[in-house]
Amino acid sequence: MALHDELLDAARAATGLEDFGERSFEEGLEILTRALRTEARLNATGQATLRGLLVGLLSQRLQVEDWYRRHPEIDDEQIVAPLIGLGLPRTGSTALSFLLAEDPQARSLRMWEANAPCPPPCVGEGIEDRIDRGRTEVEFRTKTSPRRGRLVPASATGPTECQSLMALDFKAQYFQAFAHIPSYSKWLLESADLTTTYRYELRVLKLLQWGFPNQPWRLKCPTHLLFLDQLAEVFPDARLVMTHRDPAEVMVSVADLYAAVARSYSDDIDLPYLGALNVEHWSVGMERALAFRDNGGDSRFYDIDFRAMQRDPIGEVTGLYTWLGEPVTPAFGAGMRRWWEENAQQREANVHPDPATFGLDIDEIRPLFAAYTTRAAQWTTRETSTSGAEGLNHHGD
C-alpha cells in the first residue's frame, strides 16, 4: 500500500468519516509522501511528527466536509475584502500580524483554530482543549529548538500564517522547512496550481466565521508572494500589505529559520541547500510579484519598510488604516503599544550566522533582486509628513 493511501485510511479510522471533499489535494499529498519516503532524512522525532501532521491534516479535511454536509448554509458566509499580508519572509510581517490582531473590530486567524478548525468556534466545543494543544506545540518548539522560538513569536491564541489552511490542500511551503524534500519543492515552485488551495482556505474561513457577526479578516503568509494570480482569483477584493527589507539580509535570516525548524526533525541538515532553496524560491516569487503589480495589481498594495516598522510601528499601522479607511481606536492603539513593549527583548536578541554558513554570497544575491530593490525604494518613499503616520505613495491613491 502506498504511503498516501495508508495515511488516508488512518484519517478515516481516526474520525469515522469518509468524505475528503474535492480530490485536488491528492496530487500534492502523493508528491509529498514520495519525497518524504525517498529524500527526507528524518530522525525518529521527525518521522513521528510528520506522520502525525499529515494524518491530522487529512482528519481535519474530513471534519470540515462533515460540517458542510450537515450545515450547507456555511457556504453562504461572505469573506469581504480581507487584508492579506505578504512579502519576503523575515521582513517584520509576523510582528505586523500581531499588531493587527490587537484590533477588536477585526478578525485574525488564530493558531488554535488554524490547527484544528473543527468544531467551528461558534459551537464553543473543545476550544480550551485546542488552546492547550496549541500551547503544548509552542512549548515543544521552544524546547526542541530554542532558536526557532526566538526567531518567530508564537502564541496559541495569537495570529498565525495561512500555511496551516493551505496545507489542507497539501500545497504549502512550510513542508519544506520540516524536511529535505527537493522534488516536492521543485513541483511546488514550477508546477503546482494553488487555485484549489485558496478555494479550500476560503472554505475553512467561512467555517470559522460562521455564527459570528462579520468582521474584516487580517490574514498573513509570505508565500502568497509566489501565487498572487491564484490568490487574486479566489479573493478578488482582497487588499494586500507588503513588507520590505534588504533581500540579502532576508535570505540569511530565513535560511537560519529553516535550519532552526529542521533541526527538530533531522540530524542531517544541509545548510547550503537551505540557502540555495530560499534564494531560488524567493527570487522567483519576487519576479512573479513584480509582474502581478505591473499587470494592474499595484493599486491593491500598501507597502511598509522593515526599518520604518522598527522605528514607529504604531505610525505604520495608522498609515495602513488610513489607506483602508478605517480608524485606529484607542483600545487598538493601546493593545499595539502593549504588545510591542512586551516583545521588545525578543526582537533585539536575533543575530544571524555568517552568510557563508549557508553557502550564501551577498554579492551574488543582490543582482537577483535588483529590480525588486529599485521598486521597493519607490514604493516605500513617504510623503512629507510631520506626524510620521501618513500612508505610503501608491499609484492612483
Side-chain angles (χ1 to χ4, degrees), residues 31-106:
I31 294 170
L32 175 61
T33 53
R34 185 187 310 123
L36 288 171
R37 185 179 66 251
T38 62
E39 299 169 348
R41 302 186 285 259
L42 299 173
N43 56 27
T45 298
Q47 292 174 11
T49 301
L50 267 294
R51 178 181 172 79
L53 173 64
L54 300 184
V55 173
L57 290 168
L58 291 167
S59 297
Q60 289 170 43
R61 274 194 77 107
L62 288 167
Q63 294 174 62
V64 168
E65 294 309 311
D66 185 57
W67 276 96
Y68 266 89
R69 179 185 62 80
R70 290 183 286 129
H71 298 278
E73 70 274 14
I74 296 171
D75 203 32
D76 295 332
E77 291 290 322
Q78 298 295 313
I79 307 298
V80 179
L83 176 67
I84 303 178
L86 49 83
L88 293 174
R90 317 301 297 147
T91 56
S93 59
T94 298
L96 177 61
S97 71
F98 272 86
L99 292 174
L100 295 176
E102 295 293 335
D103 184 358
Q105 305 302 319

Side-chain angles (χ1 to χ4, degrees), residues 22-28 61 65 165-171 187 192-204 227 230-231 233-235:
E22 293 186 5
R23 310 297 284 199
S24 63
F25 70 93
E26 289 189 288
E27 181 184 15
R61 274 194 77 107
E65 294 309 311
L165 302 190
M166 297 168 71
L168 294 170
D169 197 47
F170 293 90
K171 301 187 188 85
W187 168 78
D193 181 353
L194 269 72
T195 305
T196 59
T197 307
Y198 290 126
R199 285 177 183 159
Y200 209 81
E201 177 173 354
L202 178 61
R203 190 167 178 80
V204 179
F227 311 107
Q230 295 97 319
L231 181 73
E233 180 178 340
V234 177
F235 296 96

Side-chain angles (χ1 to χ4, degrees), residues 3 34 58 69 85 149 151 221 232 267 270 278 282 322 348 368:
L3 178 56
R34 185 187 310 123
L58 291 167
R69 179 185 62 80
L151 288 170
C221 191
D267 303 321
D270 186 340
N278 279 287
W282 295 111
T322 298
E348 294 171 356
L368 298 175

